[in-house]
Amino acid sequence: MWQSSPPGSIYDHIRVASFSIGPDGLIEQWSSRAAGLFGMTSTEAIGRDPVEAFMPFELRSDGRRRVGEILDGKEWTGLVPFRMPGEGGAHGVAEVYVMPSLTGRGERAALCIVVDVRALRSIETDLAASQAIFGQSPFGFVLFGTDFAVVRANQRFATVFGGAAEDHRGRTVEDYLPRAEADRLSATLKRVLETGESVTDLQLVGTAPGTTDRRHWSMNLYRVHSGAGRPVGIAGLATDVTRRHIAAREAASARRNLALLNEASARIGNSLDLETTARELLDVAVPGFCDLATVDLYQGLLTGEEAAPGSWAPAHRESAGGSAELRRVAHASAVADALPTAVAGSGPPGPDDLPPALGSVHRFPFGSPCAMALRSGRVEDVPGDEMGFVQSTLAVPMVAHDTVVGLVQFSRTKGSEPFGERDRALATELAARAAVCIDNARLYRREHERALILQRSLLPPGDPEAAGLDIACRYLPGNTATEVGGDWFDVIELPGHRTALVVGDVMGRGLRAAVAMGELRTAVRTLALLDLEPAEVLSALDEVARGLGSPGGERSEGLGGRGGAQWPSRAAQKSREADLSEVYLATCVYAVYDPVTRRCTFANAGHMPPAVVEPGRPARLIDVPPGMPLGVGGEPFEEVEVELAENALLTLYTDGLVESRDQPLDEGLEALREVLTGPQMELEDACDHVLSTLDTRHGEDDIALLMARIQGLPAEAVGDWTLPREPRSVGRARELARTQLLAWDLDDLVDTTELLVSELVTNALRYGEGEIRLRLLRDRTLVCEVWDAGLVQPRRRRARDTDEGGRGLQLVGLLSAAWGSRRTPRGKTVWFELALPDGAPAAELSVEQLLSMY
């Protein structure tokens, strides 16, 4: 069968040429390939002596001898140097095969076949290099034909897929890859063959023969052409990138885990609430780390039970029936509402194995992985349910400061990648971070509750009562996200049916502020009972506040201190400076109300001005010089006395009522005046109206509100007389007291009152100065006051058996409900108080009480 050789065949590459020599030794025929090889046309070559034309001069004699032998009928093969005709012709070496021939006339001639040795050597080199690359390559090399069957494969390819390299000839991609991957590779081969566009890094997944391990290959494909440019197949270079794929996956996993930890640091612990912190953990974990998750915390942790260090550890809390009680505080699911069964075992879960509902209290069975994780403090694997959709679960104890506070379960559903060692480490880290935040929230909750208890225990219980005043008060603490503040108010009964009203605010927050508030409140009560003037009370309170911020509660007395104290050590100085840095500042307004005169005396230490509303008039702020806050020191406080109208409404408050981040103080005070100017209402309703109407935003700060309706003592409830300084004034005082008590229908108190009034007036005559004033006040109790100009305060003492006197004040103390003395601007006042009769017979003095006077 005749077939033409297409362009670009092997003959084109090895440059085979032919010519013939006639009987006369001259060139007789000259082929076109010879013309191309030697660079001479047939016209130039025919008829020339080949020895003269092509051979160098020094070889011509031998060349003529060889030509003669050939024409004599001898075959010859050898290498013949040649040069191109003409000046500067190129030199070369040709392999010549000479075959004797006969002409038509029977004459001897020769047929010469010539091959360029340089082309042969180039082809040999190319073949050797191609074989070296193909056979010695560490990569799998395969050549597909135009029918996509394997034409040739190297040994590396055969090593991966088995057998010898020759055994793969004729195989197709279906013999190596799963159906889906084979179809993808076939489509790619077809596209490369048709378009000529190469493909790099084609990712293929399959299994090597005899193994079940998934392997990953990267394949580069390009079309192969003949010398004439005709496509003859597709070459493929395959590299096993399984390790690289695993490393990349691990790196991606590490980056994901790092990003997850960064997210956890930013999102977990933003709240000091236990349940919120648990939900923040699950918001991070689902779906970034797992498909399902739950958080269980110890019930005792949530109820605020106190425990010794380490007693949260499960070993102290396990029982034969299972783990200690836990409450499910959070759950999350990225795939369904169902949650993983948290018990060990196999087979479908029963009714008792259903996961606990959110908020329910439960126990884990003693031998379950969850109970074991709680006991050991280590991560445990919870087997998945073959009938369900959960593939694997990690039970991770939440450990903070070597203490287990709860358990978190991370689950992945079937179809997700199972948990690995890296995942276990990440789960442990996530649980640990959340555990620390939860433990901090627990500690904060405990301290916050203690501070609230302390703060509320220092406030007056219920609505206090006072003579000549109707009082209503409110205290609103900040919300749970805000620390306890130092706001307080107080109502203190003073002698003479007077009342001290106090509202204060310690600057700062937290338990220390609450404690400082308690100390200041106690100091205010102590100072008030000394019956000091309001400005004097604040001055003494300022000293107390300054002492709170000094080491040991002492005020700074200068460098040397008192009594020539030595210089403190450097360590002591640093400690003192650290203590002094916590200066306690407080604001306070202190007011004393006298129901007899309806006058109220105010002193202010940097606090909000009191507000008053008199009937038929708009509310106004009482202009009390604000003074400096308590704890600053060095500045005196001023007093302002204001006479209040009957039924006037006095309001004392802290800054949380009128000031916030979004509302300037001036606007808040103006809003308060507008609210107070409204229609008159019941006092309790007025308190609620103020708080509900003003935009208090009390979540930002505590609010203390004290409102008092002025109800002065009526004139008929007061008896007031001035007595001359003479002995008969004692009898006159008894007579006045008897007459007034009978007018008040207090017959049961006449004898006791007469006796005690006689004692006090006698003491005023004996030890006092100036005229004597007697005053009786009837309200919830009976108060008797005796005034004189003497400055010496009476002192109760025990009289000796031989003393004729000195038992008057003892008698006053035994017969009265309370007694005392106080300074006045012009002397002193001695007073006693008797309870109003309730119909029961008066109690008689015991023998011991009577003998105590002797």
Side-chain angles (χ1 to χ4, degrees):
M1 180 178 180
W2 293 94
Q3 181 177 349
S4 61
S5 177
S9 65
I10 188 63
Y11 300 104
D12 292 331
H13 290 285
I14 62 176
R15 302 180 68 181
V16 178
S18 65
F19 62 92
S20 63
I21 301 175
D24 56 358
L26 301 178
I27 296 173
E28 189 176 64
Q29 291 180 337
W30 188 255
S31 68
S32 58
R33 288 186 179 271
L37 175 63
F38 294 104
M40 295 178 61
T41 63
S42 58
T43 303
E44 294 173 334
I46 293 175
R48 297 190 64 176
D49 183 353
V51 176
E52 293 290 338
F54 301 110
M55 295 190 70
F57 177 80
E58 64 274 9
L59 297 178
R60 290 176 181 175
S61 59
D62 186 56
R64 291 190 182 94
R65 182 176 59 82
R66 294 287 184 185
V67 171
E69 293 175 353
I70 292 169
L71 293 177
D72 288 341
K74 185 179 179 180
E75 291 186 359
W76 182 82
T77 301
L79 296 175
V80 179
F82 71 90
R83 66 177 180 83
M84 300 295 183
E87 296 296 330
H91 292 262
V93 178
E95 183 174 331
V96 182
Y97 177 50
V98 183
M99 297 173 290
S101 62
L102 295 175
T103 64
R105 294 190 298 271
E107 296 176 320
R108 292 183 178 182
L111 178 63
C112 300
I113 305 297
V114 182
V115 178
D116 188 347
V117 174
R118 294 174 300 174
L120 287 176
R121 297 295 178 267
S122 176
I123 292 175
E124 289 175 356
T125 302
D126 291 345
L127 288 175
S130 176
Q131 183 60 34
I133 294 173
F134 193 83
Q136 300 174 20
S137 172
F139 308 109
F141 194 91
V142 61
L143 181 62
F144 296 96
T146 55
D147 58 354
F148 307 134
V150 176
V151 175
R152 188 178 179 185
N154 68 350
Q155 188 57 43
R156 178 60 181 171
F157 185 88
T159 301
V160 175
F161 292 100
E166 293 77 12
D167 298 336
H168 293 271
R169 188 183 300 272
R171 293 185 180 180
T172 61
V173 294
E174 286 79 5
D175 297 322
Y176 304 106
L177 298 172
R179 179 63 179 270
E181 293 290 274
D183 291 345
R184 193 160 64 90
L185 178 56
S186 296
T188 305
L189 291 173
K190 182 178 180 182
R191 186 172 71 253
V192 172
L193 183 63
E194 291 176 351
T195 64
E197 297 178 356
S198 60
V199 173
T200 58
D201 198 22
L202 175 65
Q203 297 291 319
L204 300 171
V205 180
T207 57
T211 67
T212 58
D213 296 337
R214 289 168 60 90
R215 310 297 296 178
H216 295 262
W217 293 285
S218 172
M219 200 163 191
N220 298 330
L221 300 171
Y222 59 94
R223 190 170 68 181
V224 180
H225 306 84
S226 66
R230 178 174 55 88
V232 296
I234 304 100
L237 184 65
T239 306
D240 190 334
V241 293
T242 304
R243 291 185 178 179
R244 187 176 72 186
H245 182 80
I246 294 174
R249 185 175 60 185
E250 290 181 351
S253 176
R255 288 193 298 269
R256 182 198 65 189
N257 293 350
L258 182 59
L260 203 62
L261 289 177
N262 289 337
E263 184 181 6
S265 300
R267 297 180 60 183
I268 299 177
N270 293 321
S271 169
L272 288 173
D273 180 74
L274 297 173
E275 292 82 356
T276 301
T277 302
R279 290 192 295 269
E280 290 171 347
L281 168 62
L282 299 194
D283 289 341
V284 172
V286 179
F289 177 68
C290 62
D291 302 315
L292 307 166
T294 62
V295 175
D296 299 288
L297 299 179
Y298 277 122
Q299 177 69 357
L301 181 89
L302 298 169
T303 56
E305 294 179 6
E306 293 296 333
S311 60
W312 287 114
H316 296 267
R317 306 173 64 84
E318 292 287 346
S319 63
S323 68
E325 288 187 343
L326 297 105
R327 185 192 302 172
R328 180 142 298 179
V329 296
H331 66 202
S333 171
V335 293
D337 293 333
L339 294 175
T341 301
V343 295
S346 59
D352 297 334
D353 296 335
L354 294 177
L358 183 64
S360 64
V361 178
H362 64 95
R363 296 176 183 267
F364 290 117
F366 185 82
S368 67
C370 293
M372 294 172 60
L374 289 170
R375 287 196 299 273
S376 65
R378 295 190 297 270
V379 181
E380 295 288 340
D381 292 313
V382 180
D385 177 19
E386 296 179 359
M387 304 296 292
F389 64 96
V390 175
Q391 177 176 242
S392 60
T393 298
L394 295 178
V396 187
M398 306 179 74
V399 183
H401 309 115
D402 297 327
T403 296
V404 179
V405 299
L407 184 80
V408 58
Q409 296 179 73
F410 302 108
S411 300
R412 287 180 179 174
T413 57
K414 293 180 179 178
S416 299
E417 186 176 355
F419 289 113
E421 287 301 319
R422 192 186 299 272
D423 295 322
R424 292 170 67 92
L426 177 60
T428 302
E429 179 65 21
L430 287 175
R433 293 193 180 198
V436 171
C437 295
I438 286 176
D439 194 52
N440 291 339
R442 175 184 69 86
L443 295 175
Y444 170 78
R445 174 183 288 184
R446 184 186 66 185
E447 296 303 318
H448 189 265
E449 290 176 351
R450 288 179 176 178
L452 284 178
I453 292 172
L454 171 63
Q455 189 178 42
R456 288 168 179 167
S457 67
L458 296 175
L459 298 175
D463 291 329
E465 296 181 354
L469 293 175
D470 290 336
I471 297 177
C473 50
R474 296 289 186 272
Y475 174 74
L476 298 180
N479 57 37
T480 56
T482 307
E483 290 189 270
V484 174
D487 293 13
W488 92 92
F489 65 89
D490 208 347
V491 178
I492 307 170
E493 293 188 55
L494 300 177
H497 286 315
R498 294 171 304 133
T499 303
L501 304 176
V502 189
V503 172
D505 182 5
V506 176
M507 298 181 186
R509 311 199 63 80
L511 183 60
R512 296 178 66 86
V515 171
M517 177 270 284
E519 296 190 35
L520 292 177
R521 178 182 180 272
T522 302
V524 170
R525 280 190 158 266
T526 303
L527 295 170
L529 294 179
L530 294 177
D531 213 356
L532 302 177
E533 296 297 324
E536 295 177 328
V537 170
L538 292 187
S539 295
L541 199 60
D542 179 63
E543 294 290 327
V544 174
R546 292 170 62 191
L548 293 179
S550 301
E554 299 179 357
R555 292 185 296 111
S556 174
E557 297 293 346
L559 295 178
R562 291 183 179 178
Q566 298 296 321
W567 285 86
S569 65
R570 188 173 185 85
Q573 286 181 347
K574 290 184 177 180
S575 175
R576 183 180 181 89
E577 290 172 359
D579 290 336
L580 285 172
S581 64
E582 298 188 20
V583 176
Y584 287 94
L585 299 179
T587 63
C588 179
V589 61
Y590 184 86
V592 175
Y593 172 69
D594 188 345
V596 178
T597 62
R598 292 201 314 274
R599 287 183 174 274
C600 191
T601 304
F602 297 92
N604 191 352
H607 200 78
M608 298 290 104
V612 64
V613 184
E614 297 180 341
R617 301 183 64 182
R620 61 185 175 90
L621 299 178
I622 300 177
D623 187 12
V624 182
M628 300 297 292
L630 302 176
V632 175
E635 293 293 332
F637 297 97
E638 300 182 36
E639 294 180 358
V640 172
E641 187 178 68
V642 178
E643 183 175 350
L644 301 175
E646 188 75 11
N647 289 324
L649 181 62
L650 178 65
T651 303
L652 306 179
Y653 52 94
T654 56
D655 58 356
L657 183 69
V658 294
E659 186 177 24
S660 68
R661 296 176 183 175
D662 302 326
Q663 178 175 279
L665 178 59
D666 292 342
E667 294 181 8
L669 292 175
E670 181 60 31
L672 175 63
R673 285 196 295 267
E674 292 178 1
V675 171
L676 293 176
T677 304
Q680 186 172 346
M681 59 184 69
E682 294 293 331
L683 200 55
E684 294 292 335
D685 296 337
C687 274
D688 295 334
H689 177 67
V690 168
L691 293 176
S692 61
T693 304
L694 293 179
D695 187 12
T696 60
R697 293 181 175 87
H698 68 269
E700 298 179 4
D701 196 3
D702 295 358
I703 294 177
L705 175 63
L706 178 62
M707 303 184 76
R709 182 83 67 188
I710 303 301
Q711 302 288 343
L713 286 181
E716 58 271 15
V718 179
D720 196 348
W721 307 275
T722 301
L723 302 173
R725 189 173 186 81
E726 55 187 32
R728 64 179 182 176
S729 294
V730 176
R732 178 60 178 165
R734 287 198 301 267
E735 181 182 351
L736 292 172
R738 170 184 287 273
T739 303
Q740 185 64 66
L741 264 59
L742 292 176
W744 287 341
D745 295 328
L746 298 178
D747 303 30
D748 295 340
L749 299 181
V750 170
D751 293 339
T752 303
T753 304
E754 278 189 305
L755 176 60
L756 300 185
V757 165
S758 177
E759 289 293 334
L760 295 187
V761 173
T762 299
N763 286 343
L765 288 173
R766 182 175 298 178
Y767 306 109
E769 298 177 6
E771 61 182 3
I772 300 170
R773 181 182 177 188
L774 173 64
R775 189 168 74 169
L776 294 179
L777 305 175
R778 181 182 184 275
D779 192 69
R780 291 176 297 127
T781 62
L782 176 67
V783 174
C784 176
E785 298 174 328
V786 176
W787 309 50
D788 69 78
L791 298 177
V792 179
Q793 297 290 323
R795 182 173 60 89
R796 184 176 177 180
R797 63 182 179 86
R798 183 180 296 277
R800 294 189 296 269
D801 295 341
T802 58
D803 290 343
E804 295 183 359
R807 298 178 180 87
L809 291 181
Q810 292 188 21
L811 187 63
V812 173
L814 288 173
L815 296 180
S816 65
W819 79 279
S821 66
R822 67 178 186 273
R823 292 181 301 167
T824 65
R826 296 182 177 84
K828 67 177 180 298
T829 301
V830 183
W831 59 270
F832 68 84
E833 184 175 339
L834 296 176
L836 299 181
D838 55 2
E844 295 183 358
L845 294 178
S846 65
V847 176
E848 290 78 8
Q849 289 175 322
L850 291 174
L851 290 177
S852 66
M853 294 187 295
Y854 297 93

